Amino acid sequence: MFEDFHLASILVATIRNAPVLMFAALAGLFAERSGIVDLALEGKMLAAAFVSAAVAYATQNPWLGVLAGVGISVAVAMLQGFVSITQKGNQLVAGIALNIAISGLTFVLAQFFFAQGGRTPDLGQARLFDIVLPGSALVADIPFLGWFYTQFLGGHSALVYLAFALIPVVHWIIYHSSFGLRLRAVGENPHAADAAGVSVEATRFMAMLCAGVLCSFSGAYLSLVQSGFFLRDMSAGNGYLALTALVFGNWRPLHTALGCLMFGFFAALQVQIEGVTFPGVGKIPGSLIQMIPYVITVIVLAGLMAKSVAPKAIGLPFVKSR
Amino acid sequence: MNNSDLPRWATALLLPLLNLLSALLVAALVIYLLGENPLESLSILINAAVLNPEGLGYTLFYASTFIFTGLSVSVAMQAGLFNIGSEGQMYLGGLGITLVVLALDASLPSWILIPLALVASAVFGAAWAYLPGYLQAKRGSHVVVTTIMFNFIAASLMNFIIVAYLIPAGQQNTASRIFADSSWLPKLNAVFPILGETPLNISFVLALLALVIYGIAVWRSAWGYQLRATGLNQHAAHYAGISITKTIVVAMLISGALAGLGAVNSLMGSTHYLNLNFPAGAGFIGIAIALMGRQHPIGILLSSILFGALIQGGFDLSLEKPNIPPETFIFIQGLIILFCGSMENLYAPALSACFKAKSTFTTRKSDV
Amino acid sequence: ADPKLAVIYDAGGKFDKSFNQSASEGAERFKKETKIGYMEVQVASDTQTEQVLRNLARKNVDLIAAIGFAQSQAVQNIAKEFPKTKFVLIDGVASGDNVSSVLFKEQEGSYLVGVAAAMATKTKKLGFIGGMDIPLIRAFVCGYAQGAKSVDPKIEITQNIVGSTSSSWNDPAKGAELARAQFERGVDVLFAAAGGSGMGSLQMAKEKGKLAIGVDSNQNALHPGTMLTSMVKRVDQAIYDSFMQVKNGTFKGGISNKGLKESGVDWALDKDNRSLITPEIEKRVNAAKQDILSGKVKVIDSREANKCPV
Amino acid sequence: MHAAVEFQHISKRFGAVQANRDVSFAVAPGSIHGVIGENGAGKSTLMSILYGYYHADEGQLLIHGQAQKIRNSQQAIQLGIGMVHQHFMLVENMTVLDNVMLGSEGGFRLAPKRSLVEAKLREISQRYALDVDPLARIEDLSVGVQQRVEILKQIYRSANILILDEPTAVLTVQETASLFDVLRLFKAQGKTILLISHKLQEILDITDEVTVMRAGAVVGSLHTANTSKEELATLMVGRPIETHLPRAPYAPGATVLEVRDLQLRNQQQLSLLKDINFSIRAGEIVAIAGVSGNGQSELLEIISGMRLASAGSMHFLGKELPVAHRKDADGLPAEFRALGIAHVPEDRLRDGVIKNFSVMMNSFLGYQNQVKKRFGLLDFSSILKNCRALLTQFDVRPADPDLRIGLLSGGNQQKVVIAREIAAQPKLMLVGQPTRGVDIGTIETIHAQLLAMRDAGVAILLVSVELEEVRALADRILVISGGCITGELKAEEFDATRIGLLMGGLHKS
Ligand SMILES: Nc1ncnc2c1ncn2[C@@H]1O[C@H](COP(=O)(O)OP(=O)(O)OP(=O)(O)O)[C@@H](O)[C@H]1O
Ligand SMILES: Nc1ncnc2c1ncn2[C@@H]1O[C@H](COP(=O)(O)OP(=O)(O)OP(=O)(O)O)[C@@H](O)[C@H]1O
Ligand SMILES: [Mg+2]
Ligand SMILES: [Mg+2]
């Protein structure tokens, strides 16, 4: 049965699967480390996916699409910030509400503009294409190295590289920059931060800004890289999965990214398990194979992980009162 | 709270009303941009969802399910747990009903079969919530994560079970066979003929009963006191001798049972068979309802009815106005949750300025 | 007077690039030719189906077309309640004289595209991507496999499904990813029966320069050059026909099972895939078609057999 | 010369509560100015207004003679104002260094400044004898050290006007002394200090002037040199304070609690408690004195059932209590309470009350299974009646059962907790730091109630870092140090110096 598993292809697929979650999870990390529960990752992702695709199609330029996606996602994040920070509203409600509203609105708009059932037309040449590393042709035929250079390292879209590059950057910002220090303080004990002269509101808005920017790449990745068009509800639960990775990673950048890679890996593995005949068991029905990544997550969470400890002030609006 | 210097009735009625109006205003704008008359649309919607008795029947029918899922999420929330898994628990609750009914509907009379099926739905729902609850209590595995995972697992499991075992031979439809009518819940139109042909059935009465029991259990019983204490301050709860582990597990079991009961309305009251993806998001709507209704029985009831009305009215409206796709109402739902559920203080400053001019009446009561 | 007509799409919606869309095309063609309009509705749950069916029946609609097997039970209930109203049910069976249940022999059409795929593959590895693991989708893959193996029994078929929630029909990213994984494992022709998710698979095939087969409606035009063919299921024709019958007063209830013979299913050959279909392929596929029509080859329906022979 | 700070007609209300009413007084530059008053008198509110945390409804502030609108803490900091809050304002999971840098990072990259600040902190903690490790995490530090971190922060920021809100409430005598040394140094440097305290002796020892507040208003500003404890107390409370409370002669009854060979090790197998042996008899108050962090908190938790010991035994009225042989302590406090063990926890906000519950709902926390029920449900009318009685008996202000308890001042919260535990009529009462942050009038009430319990034959175990309190209440004193009991004294043998030595672990009796 083992010859059925193509490790190389699983690894490459893992790299491709992870960015959707990675961008969103890192976005969530900024929001949540600052004390704002970000249930609206799904919504921001979907809004960015739609706007990126629509603008890329209209301008035939994917980068303008990405840029527009950033714009809309930041706008949603700021609305979320207005509700959660300025209005001191319930952050969970705001998140869920935005997800629901955006799910409906993107369909209505897509239908209004393109009349294809909440879908944008195919982007064709306006997609983001994979980057071929220089010299790929030379090494392509060398065993292992060829694969390693052209498929493992190379052959991905620019956004994939961005996703991986962001991990150390986010880690550095969170732990080694003054903004990160304020962010962590505001999420842990906003009263202390306030007393120290840090504006809790400004810091949280900055965090939401970062979240908006990062999350938009998730959406752009869905529509401009993975599919080549926008389809209603195409975020398909990835926002929630990213949140899971974030909790799983204990709100730390490296662990969270690892969690995303784990989800990517099991999704890739699951694809390959389908149709494999297992000794003694036979073929596992497709519907049961679908649950593998989720079962493993629960097992890992229950068995290996220490308790995850959320930032203490998460979900609590900052109110000056006892 | 910011609005502490508003009279109670203003906080309880006027503010939500203003927020609802704001949401509708935004919705009206969208409807206008889609090329329809917002006022006319609104009147169609209200007529279809509330004024027309049959429409009202449908509204309450949808609300019955939402009350259960809303309660499910609320109970867990009282214990400080965010149960996102009501959807999966409801799905499994449906399996419980189906197994009991399929096995026994030929042999048992209604008066045994129906209670048995109700119990089965609760037991199956609770069982599906048990593991996330146990893992949270004993291992600290975050219940948000595990319940999301359990939703996916439930979907796969149910897909497998339905396709492999429940579809009658040679059938296309991914659904079980039809239940015998000994398992059908009595419809309310038998008592109120004015409701016409609506599937509204006694599960609405059950839902109201559940709301009352929930209200009493949470706010009037020692158990509810312990539940809320655990949710608000685990250190103090431990000091008070409350077993945190037990409280969490029991809260999740009850939450799961309520979600499981959410399956009763559509399976035993309307479709009379189990089909693929039958919860259709009712578990997730339960989250919105619990949050918007502030986990309070009356709040849950009102938001369930609001959601039921939006689904029913929106559906009819999109029938009449082809320019308004049904998805518009998903957007409007989101808007209403946003305005009513998380921006309750939007108009408080302005309003209290109004009131300050008139009186100095103040309340500063706690919210418990 | 003109008959009152209505179409009810199931949760997939009018634009699912699949059988709902096909139904709407049929209705549209009827409207264009006869200038007789029709109503359309999309339902989200089985309860709503019953509600809308009853509403339409009360408004004295003459014919209601219910698309998708999920509406079977509701049609059966309402057809009994309103014996004067006529119904056409696609993909499902409901009893009643006023109901015309239209089933399709998806396995036969799939058999043909399986033959074409087997002829076109160089690697002897074919792919299949389904939306969910349900009987309808299993019938597709089973017919496809029978066709492919009739050409070369050694051909391998890799199959994946997108998921088990309703978003499985709306997840083009996953559809693309599955296609990509299959290509990496050597597949060079794939057949996608996964609604919106399948769009991602077809797109990926184009990107990777592999061949893909569309489903339900003729999807060849989506990516000319990499779309080998499409397994067309003439829901449009069924709707068009029943609308016409109502108009002409020739409507009859009953179950019809439309296969190749009844032109219910077929493979698509047009200008968009002309260049990909070599004379050998065309010959072989048409031969297979003849064999099925003549009864020489019997394509097994996994839904009836409850399992697939290959 | 202008006053460093001048309050002019400051008023502030929260809903129905007038926290400050027309407050006016001036603080001379380079002086230490005391602010005293009962719990809830409005001291913290006034200081928070000065620090920009709250905004006054009326009145204005002059800083060095200039009228200033201080809208937030950033502006206060810019004006050279620093504040050490009543509840520490530290981010617990960060290091001392990060806490000090927070808000004054000086650049986007932390690294370059980090090493500079670290060096500076080491230098400061040397110079002021503060002894704080800049790289330690706050949550690993004892409250005394956390207090020093707050001071360190202010020194680092070179605040000119320093507000200290009850800085000594959690400090030992020694810690207080060294804090005051620092404050005198500040004064010598020309800094102005506003000091809030409930300990009148401290006020007399260190301040130059003192302002007394009652019910939100200033009732007097005096030169410290010209006043006395009695005068201040009378001004504060509006009546003279009785410092020597009557008590019955020492006549202990049967043994109530017997603790044998109690051991406690943490997860790293470090010993937190070693060979603890003692007993308490009915009608006596046994005090455990010691510098905080020496195991007395853990001991109290074990005896109350909140935590399990590693080994040893406890007998309550002859009955063995579960101590070590159990999976966890989940639910154990209820069992202990049912036997008649009541517990006033050290950390009332964390353990003792649920902030979002009303006073009434807190009035039976822990006794939720014992309170009166009707038809199996909580009988709120009788609960409310009992609660009202308690509020009156213990003079809780405001006596509103429906108020969210988080809105009460600390002293009043404490009164609710003690009232609740006393009302349970226990046989053994565990009391941790009962008067921390509580005003002298309330201290008198609480002490009187505890003594009345003792006289009624209740066994009381008191844990306090306050030697004055130990002297006032205890019949016997156990001194704890490093997890061991290092000595035992009778009340009449009370000797602060000897106890001090035992607390330092120097003597073994
Ligand atoms: N106060 C600090 N001073 C200097 N460096 C720090 C400080 N806090 C964190 N860092 C740096 O950040 C890194 C991560 O710190 P820590 O181990 O606390 O985080 P973590 O929770 O393990 O997060 P992750 O593993 O995701 O980075 C440390 O290796 C250290 O280099
Ligand atoms: N944010 C707030 N909301 C409502 N009431 C408040 C708030 N802050 C303080 N109060 C009330 O204002 C009054 C003054 O409180 P403050 O904290 O200033 O007293 P204090 O003199 O510092 O008391 P303590 O000695 O107990 O610290 C109290 O009655 C308190 O309950
Ligand atoms: Mg680390
Ligand atoms: Mg104070």
Side-chain angles (χ1 to χ4, degrees):
Chain A
M1 57 174 268
F2 288 105
E3 62 278 11
D4 290 317
F5 296 99
H6 300 241
L7 187 64
S9 132
I10 292 182
L11 289 181
V12 175
T14 303
I15 292 180
R16 273 197 318 267
N17 289 341
V20 178
L21 298 179
M22 223 128 75
F23 287 122
L26 292 178
L29 188 120
F30 275 99
E32 302 215 333
R33 279 310 279 259
S34 85
I36 296 182
V37 185
D38 198 351
L39 283 189
L41 291 175
E42 185 87 3
K44 290 198 279 272
M45 198 191 269
L46 197 60
F50 169 64
V51 172
S52 296
V55 171
Y57 176 77
T59 62
Q60 286 298 308
N61 180 341
W63 293 108
L64 285 181
V66 172
L67 211 65
V70 171
I72 188 71
S73 173
V74 166
V76 175
M78 289 299 110
L79 175 59
Q80 201 185 349
F82 172 75
V83 176
S84 317
I85 304 167
T86 315
Q87 288 288 314
K88 305 186 197 306
N90 185 319
Q91 300 170 7
L92 299 171
V93 184
I96 298 243
L98 285 171
N99 288 347
I100 296 177
I102 290 171
S103 156
L105 190 62
T106 47
F107 176 92
V108 173
L109 292 179
Q111 180 59 18
F112 186 75
F113 288 117
F114 304 108
Q116 298 199 5
R119 183 173 175 272
T120 63
D122 279 321
L123 295 176
Q125 288 307 305
R127 286 179 69 181
L128 274 180
F129 287 102
D130 294 347
I131 291 173
V132 179
L133 293 183
S136 287
L138 290 178
V139 294
D141 295 328
I142 309 174
F144 184 73
L145 190 69
W147 166 80
F148 186 76
Y149 189 72
T150 60
Q151 292 189 43
F152 190 77
L153 286 186
H156 303 293
S157 129
L159 287 181
V160 174
Y161 298 104
L162 179 63
F164 282 89
L166 273 172
I167 303 169
V169 173
V170 170
H171 175 89
W172 186 88
I173 291 179
I174 297 285
Y175 293 111
H176 300 280
S177 78
S178 58
F179 170 59
L181 181 68
R182 289 172 174 223
L183 187 81
R184 284 181 286 139
V186 158
E188 199 67 27
N189 186 346
H191 294 277
D194 180 74
V198 172
S199 163
V200 177
E201 302 205 344
T203 309
R204 289 189 168 171
F205 266 110
M206 270 305 289
M208 289 314 292
L209 181 72
C210 296
V213 173
L214 289 187
C215 204
S216 74
F217 297 134
S218 242
Y221 191 76
L222 277 178
S223 62
L224 298 185
V225 177
Q226 285 194 302
S227 316
F229 54 87
F230 168 84
L231 187 69
R232 61 181 305 190
D233 291 326
M234 74 187 300
S235 48
N238 275 306
Y240 292 104
L241 218 54
L243 215 57
T244 309
L246 183 59
V247 178
F248 190 92
N250 223 338
W251 290 268
R252 305 169 186 177
L254 301 182
H255 297 68
T256 300
L258 218 64
C260 298
L261 283 170
M262 185 193 76
F263 280 128
F265 177 80
F266 286 118
L269 185 68
Q270 167 210 320
V271 169
Q272 307 243 337
I273 291 179
E274 231 172 312
V276 173
T277 314
F278 287 88
V281 186
K283 281 191 188 175
I284 305 176
S287 45
L288 288 183
I289 287 176
Q290 296 298 321
M291 65 168 76
I292 289 174
Y294 311 117
V295 171
I296 291 176
T297 306
V298 172
I299 293 173
V300 173
L301 207 59
L304 307 176
M305 296 289 290
K307 284 190 179 197
S308 54
V309 185
K312 270 213 202 72
I314 197 167
L316 306 172
F318 175 59
V319 182
K320 291 184 179 185
S321 155
R322 327 186 170 211
Chain B
M1 283 284 100
N2 287 356
N3 48 17
S4 59
D5 26 311
L6 280 178
R8 268 191 111 109
W9 65 268
T11 319
L13 283 174
L14 202 55
L15 282 182
L17 212 64
L18 282 174
N19 283 311
L20 189 62
L21 283 178
S22 314
L24 291 179
L25 212 66
V26 180
L29 187 72
V30 171
I31 289 179
Y32 174 76
L33 290 177
L34 289 172
E36 294 289 350
N37 179 345
L39 273 182
E40 187 196 346
S41 304
L42 184 68
S43 80
I44 294 177
L45 190 142
I46 291 178
N47 188 48
V50 188
L51 300 182
N52 161 8
E54 190 169 310
L56 181 67
Y58 269 100
T59 295
L60 297 181
F61 168 77
Y62 294 122
S64 315
T65 302
F66 298 155
I67 289 173
F68 278 111
T69 53
L71 279 175
S72 160
V73 179
S74 299
V75 165
M77 229 168 240
Q78 296 287 1
L81 304 166
F82 197 20
N83 176 16
I84 302 192
S86 298
E87 181 86 1
Q89 291 145 17
M90 176 172 165
Y91 211 169
L92 264 289
L95 181 65
I97 293 174
T98 308
L99 293 183
V100 165
V101 172
L102 292 188
L104 302 170
D105 62 354
S107 48
L108 291 183
S110 295
W111 62 270
I112 312 187
L113 184 61
I114 289 176
L116 218 55
L118 290 182
V119 170
S121 72
V123 168
F124 272 62
W128 201 246
Y130 173 73
L131 206 56
Y134 176 85
L135 291 176
Q136 169 78 65
K138 291 281 189 187
R139 312 260 341 157
S141 322
H142 213 294
V143 77
V144 169
V145 178
T146 47
T147 49
I148 290 181
M149 296 297 117
F150 267 63
N151 280 340
F152 285 115
I153 298 173
S156 298
L157 186 68
M158 291 297 289
N159 188 339
F160 172 72
I161 292 176
I162 291 173
V163 171
Y165 303 110
L166 297 181
I167 300 180
Q171 288 284 323
Q172 276 271 50
N173 196 359
T174 48
S176 73
R177 74 161 165 83
I178 302 279
F179 303 160
D181 39 13
S182 55
S183 75
W184 295 20
L185 289 179
K187 289 193 179 180
L188 294 191
N189 59 11
V191 191
F192 305 102
I194 187 174
L195 288 173
E197 281 297 328
T198 69
L200 183 64
N201 56 76
I202 56 163
S203 40
F204 181 63
V205 181
L206 290 180
L208 294 181
L209 198 68
L211 279 172
V212 174
I213 294 175
Y214 165 84
I216 292 176
V218 170
W219 277 275
R220 299 274 170 233
S221 78
W223 173 78
Y225 181 82
Q226 304 196 0
L227 184 76
R228 289 194 301 147
T230 306
L232 289 170
N233 180 348
Q234 285 206 0
H235 290 289
H238 175 60
Y239 158 82
I242 297 163
S243 167
I244 309 286
T245 322
K246 206 172 109 190
T247 309
I248 288 180
V249 172
V250 170
M252 280 304 283
L253 285 175
I254 293 178
S255 173
L258 284 164
L261 283 166
V264 169
N265 186 37
S266 73
L267 259 53
M268 296 168 70
S270 166
T271 59
H272 310 299
Y273 53 83
L274 173 77
N275 59 322
L276 209 57
N277 293 326
F278 81 85
F284 295 116
I285 293 183
I287 298 174
I289 284 172
L291 289 171
M292 226 179 107
R294 304 280 145 79
Q295 301 98 19
H296 190 279
I298 295 182
I300 295 169
L301 176 68
L302 291 180
S303 28
S304 296
I305 292 177
L306 182 65
F307 272 80
L310 270 178
I311 288 181
Q312 162 59 15
F315 181 60
D316 263 25
L317 180 55
S318 63
L319 274 185
E320 304 230 353
K321 301 274 176 194
N323 274 347
I324 306 178
E327 282 75 11
T328 315
F329 298 95
I330 298 181
F331 171 61
I332 295 177
Q333 271 177 29
L335 278 181
I336 291 183
I337 303 174
L338 187 68
F339 276 94
C340 301
S342 64
M343 297 215 274
E344 64 271 23
N345 292 329
L346 191 58
Y347 297 106
L351 211 58
S352 51
C354 279
F355 276 101
K356 216 167 244 161
K358 286 188 189 157
S359 81
T360 50
F361 179 83
T362 53
T363 46
R364 205 164 56 101
K365 300 290 172 182
S366 68
D367 29 328
V368 275
Chain C
D2 286 342
K4 284 170 85 175
L5 306 165
V7 185
I8 305 178
Y9 306 109
D10 80 357
K14 177 178 169 184
F15 300 98
D16 65 349
K17 294 266 168 191
S18 186
F19 59 94
N20 283 302
Q21 186 156 348
S22 185
S24 105
E25 283 160 11
E28 206 51 34
R29 177 148 63 95
F30 173 83
K31 182 173 159 188
K32 237 196 212 125
E33 288 175 13
T34 62
K35 305 277 176 276
I36 298 173
Y38 60 98
M39 283 179 266
E40 34 184 12
V41 198
Q42 185 196 325
V43 293
S45 68
D46 292 8
T47 305
Q48 260 180 8
T49 307
E50 195 163 323
Q51 181 185 3
V52 72
L53 280 170
R54 183 175 290 112
N55 272 345
L56 293 173
R58 279 187 193 149
K59 287 180 184 156
N60 296 318
V61 172
D62 297 284
L63 174 74
I64 304 173
I67 317 299
F69 56 68
Q71 308 198 30
S72 315
Q73 194 55 45
V75 167
Q76 177 148 342
N77 297 348
I78 303 298
K80 209 161 130 198
E81 213 177 297
F82 296 90
K84 286 212 194 89
T85 310
K86 301 178 183 65
F87 297 86
V88 53
L89 172 64
I90 302 293
D91 272 359
V93 180
S95 57
D97 292 341
N98 51 340
V99 184
S100 154
S101 305
V102 182
L103 297 174
F104 292 88
K105 294 180 179 165
E106 287 89 359
Q107 67 276 12
E108 293 185 354
S110 301
Y111 185 95
L112 295 188
V113 299
V115 171
M119 296 290 293
T121 177
K122 300 199 174 60
T123 59
K124 301 291 166 208
K125 286 182 177 159
L126 302 184
F128 177 85
I129 293 172
M132 285 175 84
D133 187 11
I134 55 174
L136 176 66
I137 295 300
R138 287 182 180 180
F140 275 97
V141 67
C142 184
Y144 179 62
Q146 291 173 62
K149 302 227 165 172
S150 77
V151 175
D152 178 353
K154 283 203 285 296
I155 275 183
E156 272 181 53
I157 294 170
T158 307
Q159 47 172 305
N160 286 110
I161 54 164
V162 178
S164 43
T165 58
S166 44
S167 69
S168 310
W169 307 104
N170 272 337
D171 194 345
K174 181 92 187 274
E177 186 51 41
L178 292 176
R180 190 162 182 157
Q182 294 193 350
F183 295 147
E184 274 167 14
R185 293 164 77 181
V187 166
D188 62 350
V189 184
L190 72 74
F191 179 24
S197 307
M199 305 295 294
S201 312
L202 305 185
Q203 175 86 46
M204 181 56 66
K206 178 189 174 199
E207 202 173 304
K208 293 283 152 190
K210 311 282 181 185
L211 296 174
I213 300 170
V215 78
D216 289 348
S217 42
N218 183 351
Q219 297 181 318
N220 292 356
L222 280 174
H223 307 290
T226 56
M227 291 297 302
L228 180 64
T229 178
S230 298
M231 196 296 267
V232 291
K233 176 169 159 185
R234 301 301 301 271
V235 178
D236 55 339
Q237 192 63 43
I239 298 295
Y240 177 86
D241 288 347
S242 48
F243 278 15
M244 272 302 181
Q245 287 161 9
V246 169
K247 178 173 182 284
N248 303 334
T250 55
F251 180 90
K252 272 220 308 280
I255 302 174
S256 54
N257 205 341
K258 294 181 187 275
L260 281 174
K261 194 189 255 154
E262 300 82 9
S263 302
V265 293
D266 208 341
W267 71 307
L269 179 59
D270 59 14
K271 64 172 182 9
D272 292 315
N273 65 340
R274 189 65 266 181
S275 58
L276 291 173
I277 302 292
T278 60
E280 296 87 67
I281 299 181
E282 188 175 352
K283 228 173 95 195
R284 185 77 189 245
V285 176
N286 281 331
K289 192 169 168 180
Q290 280 313 314
D291 288 347
I292 295 172
L293 288 174
S294 68
K296 198 166 131 207
V297 167
K298 179 125 187 49
V299 187
I300 288 163
D301 181 357
S302 63
R303 286 165 290 197
E304 276 166 16
N306 240 332
K307 63 177 197 302
C308 190
V310 289
Chain D
M1 199 169 163
H2 291 298
V5 179
E6 185 167 355
F7 298 95
Q8 291 186 337
H9 310 291
I10 300 283
S11 291
K12 172 76 186 168
R13 66 184 298 137
F14 295 108
V17 177
Q18 187 78 44
N20 288 141
R21 124 184 30 236
D22 195 23
V23 172
S24 300
F25 68 92
V27 181
S31 72
I32 300 183
H33 193 111
V35 179
I36 60 173
E38 289 177 293
N39 292 123
K43 308 178 293 292
S44 298
T45 305
L46 188 65
M47 295 306 131
S48 300
I49 290 173
L50 176 56
Y51 196 59
Y53 190 70
Y54 292 137
H55 306 274
D57 300 334
E58 281 157 51
Q60 68 169 349
L61 280 168
L62 305 188
I63 307 295
H64 300 299
Q66 300 256 299
Q68 300 283 0
K69 279 229 176 308
I70 305 178
R71 256 178 239 97
N72 50 38
S73 50
Q74 286 99 300
Q75 289 185 359
I77 292 168
Q78 271 160 23
L79 288 168
I81 303 172
M83 178 159 179
V84 176
H85 292 259
Q86 190 168 357
H87 305 113
F88 297 150
M89 292 293 189
L90 296 170
V91 185
E92 293 226 309
N93 67 351
M94 302 200 321
T95 58
V96 173
L97 178 61
D98 283 350
N99 269 285
V100 172
M101 286 186 73
L102 181 65
S104 56
E105 298 88 351
F108 190 68
R109 273 180 70 204
L110 289 177
K113 199 78 185 295
R114 224 176 207 155
S115 40
L116 288 181
V117 178
E118 187 184 333
K120 186 156 180 208
L121 287 185
R122 290 193 193 282
E123 187 254 321
I124 296 174
S125 63
Q126 194 105 59
R127 181 145 54 92
Y128 290 85
L130 285 171
D131 189 25
V132 175
D133 172 13
L135 296 184
R137 272 180 191 249
I138 301 296
E139 59 201 356
D140 299 332
L141 301 177
S142 69
V143 280
V145 181
Q146 291 187 13
Q147 172 73 269
R148 278 181 252 156
V149 175
E150 290 276 23
I151 302 286
L152 202 63
K153 215 159 94 179
Q154 302 309 331
I155 303 177
Y156 171 76
R157 295 189 165 188
S158 44
N160 256 321
I161 298 169
L162 187 58
I163 310 163
L164 296 149
D165 194 350
E166 297 189 41
T168 61
V170 291
L171 299 189
T172 60
V173 182
Q174 292 87 337
E175 285 170 332
T176 303
S178 54
L179 172 68
F180 283 0
D181 289 341
V182 175
L183 296 187
R184 290 195 185 95
L185 244 157
F186 281 0
K187 185 177 154 185
Q189 293 168 359
K191 297 181 195 244
T192 310
I193 293 161
L194 274 152
L195 175 72
I196 300 179
S197 177
H198 288 296
K199 299 177 186 170
L200 298 182
Q201 190 55 51
E202 295 175 3
I203 295 288
L204 292 176
D205 287 348
I206 193 163
T207 62
D208 301 310
E209 272 175 290
V210 54
T211 295
V212 185
M213 295 182 69
R214 196 192 316 150
V218 172
V219 289
S221 277
L222 308 98
H223 286 290
T224 311
N226 308 339
T227 185
S228 67
K229 244 190 197 175
E230 288 68 29
E231 187 190 6
L232 289 180
T234 313
L235 260 177
M236 252 174 79
V237 188
R239 65 180 162 86
I241 289 289
E242 195 61 63
T243 39
H244 290 284
L245 295 163
R247 65 198 292 163
Y250 181 51
T255 300
V256 174
L257 180 76
E258 173 105 41
V259 176
R260 286 285 155 257
D261 300 323
L262 211 60
Q263 321 282 342
L264 178 67
R265 281 178 297 277
N266 67 5
Q267 277 165 342
Q268 289 83 40
Q269 294 304 313
L270 286 174
S271 203
L272 299 180
L273 289 174
K274 270 194 299 283
D275 306 323
I276 303 288
N277 285 291
F278 68 91
S279 59
I280 310 175
R281 295 162 68 182
E284 70 169 348
I285 299 182
V286 175
I288 296 189
V291 177
S292 64
N294 275 281
Q296 61 269 63
S297 308
E298 287 79 4
L299 181 59
L300 204 58
E301 285 184 355
I302 291 172
I303 301 175
S304 66
M306 287 178 69
R307 183 198 260 255
L308 292 179
S310 310
S313 71
M314 290 195 310
H315 288 263
F316 178 71
L317 295 171
K319 181 177 178 296
E320 170 136 30
L321 296 177
V323 172
H325 307 290
R326 231 178 116 107
K327 240 184 27 247
D328 53 37
D330 204 24
L332 195 57
E335 296 175 27
F336 282 23
R337 217 169 254 125
L339 293 173
I341 302 178
H343 178 202
V344 176
E346 286 187 313
D347 188 338
R348 61 176 165 255
L349 269 183
R350 195 188 69 159
D351 298 325
V353 300
I354 293 178
K355 274 204 294 186
N356 288 325
F357 272 173
S358 64
V359 170
M360 178 185 79
M361 295 292 278
N362 272 292
S363 74
F364 60 99
L365 182 70
Y367 302 95
Q368 60 278 357
N369 290 317
Q370 276 129 281
V371 291
K372 217 177 135 206
K373 311 258 165 58
R374 270 175 61 194
F375 313 113
L377 300 176
L378 298 171
D379 179 4
F380 280 119
S381 61
S382 93
I383 290 172
L384 183 65
K385 220 174 77 199
N386 291 340
C387 178
R388 280 191 200 288
L390 287 181
L391 295 186
T392 320
Q393 189 190 342
F394 283 79
D395 187 27
V396 176
R397 279 177 264 173
D400 178 358
D402 288 334
L403 199 66
R404 202 157 69 81
I405 202 165
L407 293 178
L408 289 185
S409 72
N412 283 302
Q413 288 171 4
Q414 183 71 345
K415 284 193 255 181
V416 174
V417 174
I418 290 183
R420 173 181 76 206
E421 299 303 319
I422 289 180
Q425 301 183 328
K427 301 194 181 69
L428 170 64
M429 175 94 162
L430 309 172
V431 190
Q433 317 294 357
T435 57
R436 182 175 276 177
V438 169
D439 69 48
I440 48 168
T442 311
I443 291 176
E444 183 195 352
T445 324
I446 291 175
H447 283 181
Q449 296 282 354
L450 289 175
L451 285 174
M453 282 187 92
R454 162 198 180 265
D455 294 349
V458 177
I460 298 179
L461 179 67
L462 168 75
V463 168
S464 176
V465 294
E466 217 59 70
L467 275 192
E468 264 319 298
E469 179 160 75
V470 170
R471 184 216 284 277
L473 293 178
D475 295 305
R476 283 192 295 135
I477 301 152
L478 302 172
V479 185
I480 193 167
S481 171
C484 299
I485 291 180
T486 50
E488 178 173 344
L489 294 86
K490 297 202 177 67
E492 57 272 22
E493 299 167 344
F494 189 93
D495 170 358
T497 330
R498 177 148 172 249
I499 295 178
L501 288 174
L502 288 170
M503 292 198 320
L506 295 178
H507 272 231
K508 256 217 156 70
S509 59

